[in-house]
Amino acid sequence: MCVQGTPPIEELREWQRAVRAQFPIITGHPEHAYLDSAATAQKPQAVLDCVQTYLTTTNANAGRGTYPWANRTTALVEQTRDRVRRFLDDPAPEQSAVHFTSGTTEGLRTIARDWLPLLLTDGDEIVVPLADHQANIAPWQEVQQELSRRGTHVRLLPMPYQQSSGDYDHIALADLAGPRTRFVAVTHVHHVYGGNMNVHRIREAVGPDAVICLDAAQSIGHLPVSVTELDADFVVFSGHKAMALPGSGAVWARQTRGPAFTPGGWPGTPNTVGIASLAAALDWLDAAGTDRIERWTVALAARLTEGLRHLEAYEVLGCRNSLAADSPVQQREGIVTFRHRDIDSGDLGFILFSHGFMVRSDNHCQGSAGERTGSVRVSLHVYNTVEEVDQLLTALHTLG
Ligand code: PMP
């Protein structure tokens, strides 16, 4: 989807002001602009309150004791599974599983370790997105190697990307995928380019039987994620990027393509406070409206991209077409990554912090087919403002 120029966001200004006011770390530090939400998101007061309330009224282990705090904690864990299902627009909750993890990395690794070997047989193929986050590459490569040691040979097909935008090339994928393509790992929103990776086109490209595993680390909390619409079989995300506590996260598994997902081993004590924070965060996000959050952050990203294309010294990554003067600004889900012609990206990160901007600067854990040199990533969330973007552009302009 493309956005022509900078979309109107005036109508969201009042709403955004009220939403921003709910983030104490943001309002408490007006001298800083936090522009690193793709690394981790800040927490609204409702999540902070929920954590405080849980720990001061209910804290107990789950699934063990029979006294009221323990029962309430057990119920909280089960209710949060349903909360995740509702948040993901699960069409058949009785046929899905929700498994809590410490985040996306552990979630993807659990699928790779405990489930994928049950699906694959000799001669099968898996599609792996080699220019995405390492967390969505390494586990699949490891499965392939482990299976090969056991005499099962699985082909790893590199996901094709579109040169101009960095999105997946679903037409090339349709040519690549055949009847032995059993598993396709995809990312909803790219953590460097910010592109919405056309994942709604993946089902059509790979056919009705392949399992689609969605890394939603950068989309949960930023835009509506509907498993009904995407026809995904796994959705994996991190709580901390979705306004819950670090160490929380989930795998949602559809359970109707391939063997049932039942992660093995004794699970130990769940992260109950993290799970409580996740339920509160999903409530908060639904109340704020992920559709509005998306409109806001897409508009800010478009404004930043548009501003950067007038600054000659900068190259914006992943969306090269958008830099041509007359081309539309491609939709970026709140993430814009760029380099300066002469200034090292690490140095640029330090310089920007001296102006109050907190950004990420390195090569962003991208896989082997990704960018080889560092860059600066600005990642926006609902608490960021038009003024912050304009001040950033002014600071970037003064650097030449
Ligand atoms: N996938 C993507 C697309 C990400 O952006 C990240 C985090 N940067 C991860 C996976 C890993 O998430 P976590 O570190 O929370 O496990």
Side-chain angles (χ1 to χ4, degrees), residues 4 110 120 220 235 259 261 292 311 315 321 330 353 383:
Q4 284 289 344
T110 304
L120 298 174
I220 297 283
V235 175
F261 176 66
R292 275 192 293 201
L311 303 182
E315 174 204 9
N321 283 348
Q330 182 176 331
F353 183 68
Y383 32 74

Side-chain angles (χ1 to χ4, degrees), residues 38 103-105 133 135 187 191 215 217-218 238 240-241:
T104 308
T105 303
H133 196 282
T187 303
H191 70 294
D215 172 347
Q218 298 296 353
S238 304
H240 71 98
K241 293 186 200 283

Side-chain angles (χ1 to χ4, degrees), residues 2-6 305-306 309-310 319-330:
C2 285
V3 178
Q4 284 289 344
T6 303
T305 311
E306 183 70 32
R309 80 163 149 198
H310 297 295
C319 242
R320 292 179 186 91
N321 283 348
S322 70
L323 295 179
D326 55 351
S327 74
V329 172
Q330 182 176 331

Side-chain angles (χ1 to χ4, degrees), residues 129-334:
L130 295 177
D132 289 7
H133 196 282
Q134 270 297 352
N136 199 14
I137 300 172
W140 319 122
Q141 292 172 325
E142 286 162 20
V143 172
Q144 185 204 26
Q145 287 155 12
E146 176 54 30
L147 286 175
S148 155
R149 276 193 284 277
R150 294 194 234 148
T152 301
H153 299 285
V154 168
R155 274 181 71 207
L156 193 155
L157 309 176
M159 170 67 87
Y161 292 81
Q162 305 197 36
Q163 276 301 314
S164 58
S165 62
D167 294 350
Y168 302 137
D169 184 339
H170 59 279
I171 296 167
L173 177 62
D175 286 343
L176 188 71
R180 298 304 303 269
T181 308
R182 306 294 308 281
F183 182 85
V184 185
V186 292
T187 303
H188 201 176
V189 169
H190 198 279
H191 70 294
V192 179
Y193 308 132
N196 191 323
M197 301 292 283
N198 269 334
V199 286
H200 62 285
R201 293 227 157 101
I202 298 293
R203 172 60 64 206
E204 172 196 324
V206 298
D209 299 326
V211 169
I212 296 177
C213 176
L214 184 72
D215 172 347
Q218 298 296 353
S219 56
I220 297 283
H222 290 264
L223 57 146
V225 179
S226 164
V227 293
T228 305
E229 215 176 281
L230 300 174
D231 200 12
D233 299 290
F234 288 101
V235 175
V236 186
F237 65 95
S238 304
H240 71 98
K241 293 186 200 283
M243 300 183 178
L245 291 187
S248 64
V251 171
W252 172 90
R254 186 185 289 274
Q255 303 289 54
T256 50
R257 280 189 187 93
F261 176 66
T262 46
W266 173 245
T269 298
N271 175 6
T272 51
V273 68
I275 292 169
S277 77
L278 186 58
L282 299 184
D283 284 348
W284 188 90
L285 287 163
D286 266 344
T290 46
D291 50 343
R292 275 192 293 201
I293 294 175
E294 181 182 25
R295 276 168 62 210
W296 183 259
T297 55
V298 164
L300 293 190
R303 191 175 182 100
L304 180 55
T305 311
E306 183 70 32
L308 277 166
R309 80 163 149 198
H310 297 295
L311 303 182
E312 253 185 38
Y314 296 88
E315 174 204 9
V316 179
L317 305 191
C319 242
R320 292 179 186 91
N321 283 348
S322 70
L323 295 179
D326 55 351
S327 74
V329 172
Q330 182 176 331
Q331 174 156 331
R332 291 164 187 276
E333 301 282 355

